Amino acid sequence: MKSQASTDLFANDSQLVKVLLPLPLAGPYDYRVPPGMDVWPGRFVRVPFGPRRLVGVVWGEGGDSGLEASRIKDLDSVLPLPDLPQANRDLVDWISAYCLAPQGAVLRMAMSVPAVFEPVKPITLYEPMEELPDIRLTAARKRVLTVAADGPARPASDLARDAGVSTGVVTGLADAGALKRISVAPGGYWPQPDPDLPGPGLSELQSKAALEMAEHVKARDFSVTLLDGVTGSGKTEVYFEAVAESLRQGRQVVVLLPEIALSTQWLSRFERRFGVAPAVWHSDLTQSKRRDSWKAVAEGKIQVLVGARSALHLPFPDLGLIVIDEEHDQSFKQEEGVIYNARDMGIVRGRLAQCPVILASATPSLETVVNVREGRFHKLELPERHGVAELPTIELVDILKNSLGRQRWISPPLETALKETLARGEQALLFLNRRGYAPLTLCDGCGHRLECPNCSAWLVEHRFSKRLECHHCGYATRKPDDCPECGAHDSFRACGPGVERLAEEVELILPEARAELVTSDNIYGPAAASAFVDRVTSGETNLIIGTQIVAKGYHFPKLTLVGVVDADLGLAGGDLRAAERTYQLLHQVAGRAGREGHKGRVLIQSANVDSPVMEALAKGDRDGFLEAESNMRELSRMPPFGRLAALIISGMDEVAVDRFCGELARKAPRMDGVLVLGPAPAPMALLRGRHRRRFLIKADKRISLQKLIPQWLNQVKEPSSVRTQIDIDPVSF
Ligand code: ADP
Ligand code: ZN
């Protein structure tokens, strides 16, 4: 470590350093380096902070804080941790400056592991002895030895699993002297993916794309490439070749996926291609697993890591490739705390690490499409599905003309298609992006609606859990027997469908179907997700009724029919991006149909069959749709043709919120090229008990919102009961 930097970086008399603490405060603080202590930027240190001791990161040279020398405290100690690399520190600074979030808040998000390592118990790995002693070899023992001979030292449980025996056979072989025991620290065992295992034979177009991406990896330079391939074209297999190239170069890879906990099919495909599972990173990992992974990334022991957006902040010392799969996906936007878009910050990360970035999607975002058009990003296309599979046919069902009948949501054409599909022994997916039984419950007597006490939202009935839930704050309550408004008994009526109600209808019209409900209420982790995949693959389930969690990524060979129950759900409200998002979601869900051998069919039920988005879906005219969207945004100077930010002002005290908004409005910037809209009630005007107002700031490209917004906010003092959140590049507006 010493070679990289040393105390002489700070070899001035004062020996002051700046330390950034993971607190939602402004910036780093000065501390004095006690004699004999060795620090440099990136070191993790413990420091006194008020009555507490906190862990922070040395950010640079101190001394310009203007504090009296006597008030500056000494560093406490240096932690025995790898440094936070320069690129990670730069990313913290970049996000802080761009998103107008305090550096400490960004660091807190980026550290995400307790920087203190407890003493650790070693684990035992097994590998074959060079010479086999003369022992009795049962079939089970032979299998273990064969498995052990092929690959690195592994824990007994891994060997036993691969050989299909109990762990006792493995430990027995070690006791008999046929296997060697090796002790390593936990987290010290990271099997290495092998880039040179044979992958699937790629088609000509796939190979061409793969080769070009591998060239970018070899160039060891920053570039962004959009892998634009229709659903089922093999994008994953193709970017795996870029991953393989980075591995051959001995450089690390990070892959961002939108729903990592549910991506079991992706993980097994990786394992098939590279021989071992990749390291994963998401919020459900235990603290100790996070700590081990963090350290292994820093030490270069993890070669490929697949994770959620926070994986960008891991301390990769030698990043060779960043892949952002489903780059258009909204879940890359973090909406709480530090508001940032991991797709965009992934690109910044690539520039800081000087490595290529691959964005993959069948429905790229308008931002990305414009970046390609203007020559900032490369583009590679996969216009056909892999093998003999063809794209599905998409038909619109006008639900205004197909009267559905009371309490019915499956139209006659969709019902017929479902029956035919299941009768052929194939599978179907019914898509409705609404959890629960019914989105609205009202009293038949007086019309009273059951609403969340903390949010401007209706309570959603969940029949299986027998509760009413708020989907915004998690508030849950039992359904009351009597109407709280008029006192009528047993008068509540469910209005509209959720997936649970749809399941009831399915039971009625398709009693033979082996239907399964798939929502975040019943599939919430890797184990549940892979059990679901198994049930569909084995045919135990032949009809999936699901929300958006089944829309992406899944590959089910026998699934040939997709029915979209209410395509208009996302179009309500005034959101300018509603059409783009609806297109992306419905195109993705349609893409689940007919991915192998059998031709797929998609029926989309809509009351807006003439809208541009539905027409484009039916015609398969994605590019025409994007072109029209792009023209509209350009005319209104909306992103990506202009700049946009949202200010959300919130507080429990509505009067204080409105007063503060009034003062902000009076000081709002008035200049050429800037338009401030608001204050207006924010979408979700009441959320978790906080009243919310919103300003939208629209500006020409030449104007820096990062300068303008702080100048504006600094003119008005924020009362302590009010909070201001800044959302640069909001995804919904
Ligand atoms: P996409 O991500 O573009 O929707 P996938 O990468 O999921 O497509 O590929 C769709 C299916 O086709 C997967 O089961 C994948 O393993 C398979 N596949 C793609 N390319 C090949 C290939 N060259 N050889 C064999 N199977 C392939
Ligand atoms: Zn609520």
Side-chain angles (χ1 to χ4, degrees), residues 41 63 134 157 216 368-369 552 554 604 651:
D134 193 15
S157 52
H216 288 302
T368 295
V369 169
K552 350 174 174 169
Y554 288 115
I604 297 183

Side-chain angles (χ1 to χ4, degrees), residues 290-313:
R290 286 161 88 83
R291 189 189 54 214
D292 292 346
S293 304
W294 192 92
K295 210 167 150 224
V297 165
E299 290 167 350
K301 288 181 186 153
I302 286 181
Q303 290 283 307
V304 180
L305 179 134
V306 47
R309 56 194 175 213
S310 58
L312 281 182
H313 300 290

Side-chain angles (χ1 to χ4, degrees), residues 98-109:
Y98 185 80
C99 302
L100 296 172
Q103 280 166 298
V106 183
L107 181 68
R108 180 151 82 168
M109 170 180 89

Side-chain angles (χ1 to χ4, degrees), residues 180-224:
K180 196 182 334 177
R181 287 192 166 94
I182 312 170
S183 252
V184 297
Y189 168 65
W190 296 95
Q192 296 306 311
D194 180 352
D196 297 318
L197 290 177
L202 296 183
S203 72
E204 208 178 306
L205 272 173
Q206 286 178 330
S207 313
K208 200 167 151 273
L211 274 176
E212 201 163 324
M213 279 191 286
E215 286 305 317
H216 288 302
V217 174
K218 281 185 196 153
R220 293 172 166 252
D221 205 352
F222 172 63
S223 61
V224 185

Side-chain angles (χ1 to χ4, degrees), residues 243 246-247 251-255 303-305 316 319-321 323:
V243 173
S246 183
L247 287 170
R251 305 183 83 196
Q252 294 168 297
V253 179
V254 60
V255 180
Q303 290 283 307
V304 180
L305 179 134
F316 296 96
L319 206 49
L321 174 66
V323 178

